[in-house]
Amino acid sequence: MAQTYQDGRAGIDAALVRRLIAAQFPQWRHLPVRPVAVDGWDNRTYRLGDDMTVRLPTARGYVPAVAKENRWLPVLAPALPVPIPQVLGVGEPGEGYPHPWSVRRWIDGETAAPERIRDMAEFAEQVAEFILALQEADATDGPGAGAHSFYRGASPAHYDEETRRCLAALRGRVDTARAAAVWEDALAATWHGEPVWFHGDIAHGNLLVRDGRLAAVIDFGTSGTGDPACDLVIAWTLFEGRSREAFRRAVRQDDGTWARARGWALWKAMLCLASDSTPPDEAAGHRRVIEAVLAD
């Protein structure tokens, strides 16, 4: 009888991963399995030996990203200036675990942080180069924005009701009058372009650094084709001053795209700041993002 999974976040632990590998990829059953140092939320990731990882969705809502990445990562990789995840094997539900999962090649690097980056303005230009290359990749038959991307790539209007609740909840804590004006500008800047590829979560945790430079981009779970405005949010979450201006120049987006990007940044930061479950140090970071968006 298959053993069901009970411990670890979302019931996933190293023992479960070892059983899945042994049952479905016996050629790798001898390799050690251990958690990665920095894990994500949508998926849990484990090292498999020295050269591979195992990626498992933590809930049903994240499952569509698995098939999407398996289908499209090999298509996108040749068009991009730095490595992205390479799928080596596709796993099926088993051993009490109910979702499909995958084995990928390990990419060496550390998540982006100012102290690991040689020159922030240069790094901003490298990120912009990646975004532009992704936008230029062939979007024919690509997955249009929707639930699988948590509506990144669609209009920020999808989150209008949620944003207005946040504005009401944060009254007196942030300048909600200015925030409301930024949000209205985002809604008014309707996107009319042809669909292009977007990553959906260009954030420090998904940018890997080696020798002070951008080495890889990971986690395409919210990727798709549509409006690329969501990929500009990093202008306020990581960059500032000279690096923000370098990013703005290098990424070459129009005013309407920037207006929608401000809306995306504001929505997410206000949502997190308004949540009672957000730790104080993280809340302070979200407040800084809101202030940067309103000041820019």
Side-chain angles (χ1 to χ4, degrees):
M1 180 176 178
Q3 181 178 351
T4 58
Y5 65 106
Q6 298 295 334
D7 24 67
R9 183 164 62 78
I12 303 167
D13 60 13
L16 169 69
V17 175
R18 282 192 287 268
R19 295 197 303 273
L20 287 168
I21 291 294
Q24 300 185 33
F25 298 99
Q27 70 272 31
W28 297 326
R29 67 186 304 162
H30 66 286
L31 297 174
V33 173
R34 60 191 188 279
V36 297
V38 180
D39 206 357
W41 181 260
D42 300 0
N43 299 270
R44 294 216 67 188
T45 301
Y46 287 80
R47 291 289 298 271
L48 178 61
D50 294 328
D51 301 321
M52 292 180 286
T53 65
V54 180
R55 179 173 164 89
L56 306 97
T58 58
R60 183 178 300 277
Y62 304 126
V63 168
V66 174
K68 177 176 61 180
E69 290 184 306
N70 292 346
R71 164 71 176 85
W72 290 103
L73 288 177
V75 175
L76 292 173
L80 300 175
V82 295
I84 62 175
Q86 179 185 1
V87 178
L88 302 176
V90 177
E92 301 294 334
E95 303 300 314
Y97 176 72
H99 308 310
W101 49 284
S102 60
V103 179
R104 290 135 184 260
R105 189 172 303 285
W106 171 257
I107 304 176
D108 193 29
E110 297 181 288
T111 54
E115 64 273 14
R116 296 171 179 160
I117 295 169
R118 183 173 63 191
D119 182 296
M120 284 296 289
E122 178 185 64
F123 184 75
E125 292 170 349
Q126 293 161 7
V127 175
E129 178 189 7
F130 174 86
I131 291 172
L132 288 175
L134 183 60
Q135 290 179 12
E136 292 168 4
D138 185 359
T140 303
D141 297 328
H148 69 90
S149 67
F150 291 88
Y151 296 92
R152 272 70 163 180
S155 169
H158 180 81
Y159 290 108
D160 184 49
E161 182 179 345
E162 190 171 66
T163 299
R164 296 190 188 281
R165 287 200 303 268
C166 291
L167 286 167
L170 293 172
R171 190 170 293 118
R173 298 174 61 187
V174 300
D175 188 341
T176 50
R178 291 179 66 193
V182 169
W183 183 247
E184 293 294 346
D185 286 345
L187 297 180
T190 306
W191 181 69
H192 297 290
E194 291 296 318
V196 298
W197 276 100
F198 59 87
H199 178 278
D201 195 13
I202 298 286
H204 73 93
N206 293 329
L207 304 176
L208 299 187
V209 175
R210 191 166 57 247
D211 299 326
R213 295 175 56 84
L214 181 66
V217 178
I218 61 174
D219 196 349
F220 282 68
T222 53
S223 65
T225 60
D227 175 11
C230 56
D231 280 350
L232 306 185
V233 168
I234 196 170
W236 303 283
T237 58
L238 181 62
F239 302 137
E240 59 183 358
R242 190 171 70 92
S243 62
R244 186 180 300 154
E245 289 307 312
F247 178 70
R248 191 189 307 273
R249 287 192 303 270
V251 80
R252 304 195 306 273
Q253 304 295 296
D254 61 32
D255 290 344
T257 303
W258 278 106
R260 295 189 302 279
R262 290 185 182 91
W264 279 110
L266 194 65
W267 157 72
K268 185 62 177 291
M270 290 199 306
L271 181 66
C272 294
L273 184 59
S275 172
D276 294 334
S277 63
T278 302
D281 57 333
E282 293 183 18
H286 296 304
R287 184 185 296 276
R288 285 193 295 272
V289 170
I290 294 170
E291 292 171 350
V293 170
L294 299 184
D296 190 10

